[in-house]
Amino acid sequence: MMSTLLQQAPGCSSRVHGQRPHGVTLEWRGLTYTVPVGFGKRRRARTVLLEASGSVRPGHLLAVLGGTGCGKSSLLNALAGRLPRGGKLEGEVLVDGQPRTEAFRSSCGYVMQDDVLFSNLTVQETLEFAANIRLPASVSAATRQQLVADTMAELGLTKVADTLVGNAWVRGVSGGERKRVHIATEVLANPNFLCADEPTSGLDAFQAQNIMTALWALAGDGRTVVATVHQPRSSIWSLFDYLLVLSEGRTVFYGPAAAATAHFAAAGYACPPGYNPADVILDVTSRDYRTPESEAATQKRVQLLADLHALQAAAKPSLQEGGASPRAASPSPAPAAAGKRRFANSALREFWLLSGRAWRQSSRAHVEQIISTVQTVFVAALLAWLWSGMSQSEPGGVQDEVGVLFMVVVTTAMNVMMGALVSFTFDKPTVDRERAARAYRMLPYYLSRLACDTPLRVAQSLLFSGIIYWAVGLNPKASAFFIFCALNVCIGLAGQALGMAVSVALPMAIALAVAPFVVIFLMLFSGFYVNNSTLPAVLRWIKYISHLFWGLVGLAVNDFRGRTGWACPVSAATPGCQVSGEDILAQLNFEGFTAADAFMGLLLLTLGFHLIGYTALRLRKPCFLPLAPAKKGL
């Protein structure tokens, strides 16, 4: 039945290139991976992988089996060149007999354990974007569309083509379908080596079967596929061509999956009739930490199994020799990758494609838009209510008017900054995955995200301005109102830029904690709480990098300059005393500034914050461990 499936649904890449996909022969020798744990005097190196060796050929599905914490994901990441920095990796990885280069990671499809996809895109839109961004512009639009359609048919996604991908908050496809969408996005790039980290995690038995069958079919089409699995059912077990079993970072079995039961039976751990071999192997190779006695017993058992495998590997180094897959025709040799892989499209085309995706994701986030709108209206209405009784003739009128201007600046800057910070942060996992595969450049991505986020932030600022301005009775001139709105938009754009810079530079949890602190710090130098003339000379320059300072300067100049009639403060000795707008600006130490100065200061800060954000984005690229030569004697 599965052979028929392959005949009816050949590999999608063959439809584009006119030939079967190019798999690679991957071989690894003596891989040892250690990570530092603990602090101070208790700091030590923990061995995650110890002298792992093996190989996998085109047309094969290699399953990596083992209990939690055995090193499955670390081995997969080591083979794909995606181990994060912070440890040490030694050994050797060969691709078609040659040392692995950086270009290999670009040609390697990687299906992460967590499905990081854009929730507000449909399945078809997600796959169309993957085909457009990963395939060169020389591939015609009709060919790309056919490729997407064939890939959806091959992975059973045609019926949900127009359904949103969804996530925990957005209703969309099922977990198994979302995993298949993730696999499809990688397959569309025509990888010669496909990794899948726990692709059945969190799925029911039926969905897990579908996922593994899809990987089995992709391997049978000529690709090289490696997948980590945990507790596979017996029908999934039958799909494995080769099996590698890990325990405590050590290899306890490696070879044809069909030979695994005989191997463990010869070691004294036979699989009872009717039992799932995977369950028995996991029971035998897992370490029991419940009591010191059980831990010692299982440790001894694992050590014996690891030693037995080492003896057999020494006697027969290449367990896959002569083991060509009976399901796959012999693919043509893969073309050698020369140097660093270039991007598939021009920067301008990348910007266009990324903008389309970002706009769909943002425009369909109806809940977030409603919450943002309601929040803006509520805060504006609350401030308008609190300051609705403001009067120039009252002794406290000056204080009230300066206070409402300051609240407008802070509220606009804070609301827009937090909105940009959260929306930008949600992109990180997907962008990191696509960036590791060199799908696109960072400048087009940053500009596309900015272009699609800006209209919402501008609308937010204008809505807030329109509600509060006339309600509290600021400068009655129409020109002053339009300048007020323009300044408020610029304050919001500066806050947006600051939010993007913080979200790019820091992890989400830290960014959410740091952002309010940054605003409070800049607020101290805005000229409202502390007059600029009384600041220590060594700190006075800070006001020039505060968008809150320039925002308050602009709004104050726009509101007070050229007007008069405010009652003097209560402390004034002269009855009927009045102060002019120029007097108020002088008291704030703003008399030397103009609205144009404020616009220029906000513009320069916006550009500066974006420059910091883009630089941070470039610097915080995913960094992976280099592969060091194995130590002699291992």
Side-chain angles (χ1 to χ4, degrees):
M1 181 176 115
M2 292 183 181
S3 298
T4 304
L5 172 65
L6 289 176
Q7 292 172 0
Q8 293 175 345
C12 57
S13 59
S14 61
R15 302 182 181 95
V16 179
H17 303 286
Q19 58 185 7
R20 300 182 66 84
H22 291 299
V24 296
T25 297
L26 194 70
E27 185 177 2
W28 57 99
R29 302 171 184 169
L31 284 183
T32 298
Y33 175 45
T34 57
V35 294
V37 294
F39 299 94
K41 295 182 179 180
R42 295 186 178 181
R43 189 175 180 86
R44 59 183 179 84
R46 176 175 174 266
T47 301
V48 180
L49 293 173
L50 181 62
E51 301 181 58
S53 299
S55 63
V56 60
R57 290 183 175 180
H60 288 162
L61 170 58
L62 170 65
V64 183
L65 183 66
T68 302
C70 70
K72 300 189 301 293
S73 296
S74 296
L75 176 62
L76 192 72
N77 289 329
L79 298 182
R82 298 194 184 211
L83 273 177
R85 290 186 182 272
K88 185 176 183 181
L89 178 64
E90 298 175 329
E92 189 177 23
V93 178
L94 302 178
V95 180
D96 290 332
Q98 301 297 320
R100 187 187 65 194
T101 63
E102 184 181 353
F104 175 73
R105 194 173 70 241
S106 301
S107 62
C108 169
Y110 190 89
V111 181
M112 302 170 64
Q113 185 172 348
D114 297 323
D115 301 317
V116 284
L117 301 166
F118 282 84
S119 58
N120 292 329
L121 270 65
T122 66
V123 170
Q124 181 155 346
E125 288 170 344
T126 300
L127 299 185
E128 285 176 347
F129 173 82
N132 288 331
I133 204 73
R134 301 288 289 273
L135 295 176
S138 58
V139 178
S140 68
T143 302
R144 288 195 299 270
Q145 290 176 358
Q146 185 61 46
L147 173 60
V148 169
D150 292 341
T151 304
M152 286 194 296
E154 185 175 9
L155 293 174
L157 295 170
T158 304
K159 67 176 183 178
V160 294
D162 297 323
T163 305
L164 294 179
V165 171
N167 56 19
W169 302 278
V170 179
R171 185 176 179 85
V173 297
S174 67
E177 290 165 337
R178 190 176 298 115
K179 180 65 70 175
R180 277 181 274 159
V181 173
H182 194 172
I183 294 173
T185 60
E186 296 299 325
V187 170
L188 283 167
N190 193 31
N192 48 32
F193 178 63
L194 182 63
C195 298
D197 188 14
E198 296 278 9
T200 61
S201 177
L203 303 180
D204 58 51
F206 177 75
Q207 295 287 5
Q209 174 74 36
N210 287 341
I211 293 297
M212 293 308 299
T213 301
L215 293 176
W216 181 89
L218 292 171
D221 200 32
R223 294 179 179 85
T224 307
V225 181
V226 178
T228 62
V229 289
H230 185 65
Q231 293 183 318
R233 57 190 275 187
S234 55
S235 57
I236 292 178
W237 172 271
S238 65
L239 298 174
F240 302 155
D241 294 313
Y242 279 83
L243 180 70
L244 190 152
V245 182
L246 290 173
S247 180
E248 299 294 321
R250 301 191 63 178
T251 304
V252 295
F253 174 79
Y254 166 68
T261 52
H263 171 85
F264 283 95
Y269 304 102
C271 178
Y275 275 65
N276 181 1
D279 293 337
V280 175
I281 290 175
L282 285 172
D283 288 343
V284 170
T285 58
S286 297
R287 199 162 168 181
D288 189 349
Y289 292 96
R290 290 178 295 176
T291 65
E293 293 76 14
S294 63
E295 182 180 356
T298 52
Q299 183 178 5
K300 182 178 180 181
R301 183 172 65 221
V302 169
Q303 183 68 42
L304 290 173
L305 290 171
D307 292 342
L308 176 61
H309 165 74
L311 289 173
Q312 293 181 342
K316 187 179 180 182
S318 180
L319 293 177
Q320 290 198 41
E321 188 174 355
S325 172
R327 302 186 284 119
S330 299
S332 304
K340 201 172 184 179
R341 178 177 177 264
R342 299 181 63 85
F343 296 100
N345 297 280
S346 67
L348 184 60
R349 176 172 170 78
E350 288 173 356
F351 173 77
W352 178 256
L353 295 172
L354 289 163
S355 296
R357 181 177 71 172
W359 178 251
R360 292 187 186 97
Q361 177 69 16
S362 299
S363 63
R364 295 172 184 173
H366 302 304
V367 174
E368 291 85 344
Q369 292 172 4
I370 292 173
I371 292 175
S372 176
T373 302
V374 170
Q375 176 182 304
T376 300
V377 171
F378 175 79
V379 174
L382 178 61
L383 295 182
W385 183 26
L386 291 175
W387 271 274
S388 60
M390 186 174 67
S391 172
Q392 286 184 251
S393 61
E394 296 294 329
V398 174
Q399 179 183 353
D400 288 345
E401 200 150 343
V402 175
V404 73
L405 294 178
F406 176 71
M407 285 304 301
V408 167
V409 172
V410 173
T411 303
T412 299
M414 187 65 127
N415 285 348
V416 173
M417 183 190 72
M418 295 304 295
L421 187 150
V422 172
S423 64
F424 206 82
T425 301
F426 282 144
D427 285 6
K428 276 185 178 180
T430 307
V431 173
D432 285 344
R433 173 176 63 84
E434 294 170 338
R435 187 176 188 179
R438 292 183 62 80
Y440 45 78
R441 301 166 182 84
M442 285 299 97
L443 182 58
Y445 164 73
Y446 191 92
L447 294 178
S448 67
R449 198 67 184 85
L450 175 62
C452 293
D453 193 58
T454 297
L456 175 62
R457 307 308 164 197
V458 171
Q460 196 174 350
S461 300
L462 291 176
L463 177 62
F464 184 82
S465 302
I467 293 174
I468 198 171
Y469 190 86
W470 301 111
V472 299
L474 297 175
N475 192 332
K477 293 182 179 178
S479 60
F481 169 70
F482 290 115
I483 294 174
F484 177 90
C485 291
L487 282 168
N488 220 24
V489 167
C490 292
I491 295 167
L493 294 179
Q496 175 197 29
L498 181 59
M500 292 175 69
V502 173
S503 66
V504 167
L506 301 171
M508 182 175 183
I510 299 177
L512 291 174
V514 168
F517 169 79
V518 173
V519 173
I520 292 173
F521 176 78
L522 296 178
M523 194 185 300
L524 294 176
F525 298 90
S526 65
F528 179 78
Y529 291 111
V530 182
N531 193 285
N532 292 310
S533 62
T534 62
L535 285 172
V538 72
L539 298 178
R540 288 178 188 173
W541 64 271
I542 297 178
K543 66 182 180 183
Y544 297 113
I545 63 169
S546 171
H547 58 304
L548 304 180
F549 167 76
W550 289 113
L552 184 58
V553 166
L555 295 186
V557 168
N558 180 64
D559 188 57
F560 293 117
R561 182 154 289 167
R563 298 174 63 201
T564 189
W566 282 274
C568 292
V570 178
S571 59
T574 306
C577 170
Q578 290 187 344
V579 296
S580 66
E582 277 68 20
D583 295 332
I584 298 172
L585 292 175
Q587 185 179 1
L588 293 171
N589 203 32
F590 291 169
E591 72 276 13
F593 296 101
T594 65
D597 294 333
F599 277 115
M600 182 59 67
L602 290 170
L603 175 61
L604 291 177
L605 282 180
T606 300
L607 294 176
F609 290 151
H610 279 309
L611 181 60
I612 293 172
Y614 176 66
T615 302
L617 183 64
R618 290 293 304 268
L619 294 178
R620 64 166 294 275
K621 62 182 180 180
C623 295
F624 304 109
L625 273 181
L627 185 60
K631 294 180 180 178
K632 294 182 179 180
L634 288 181

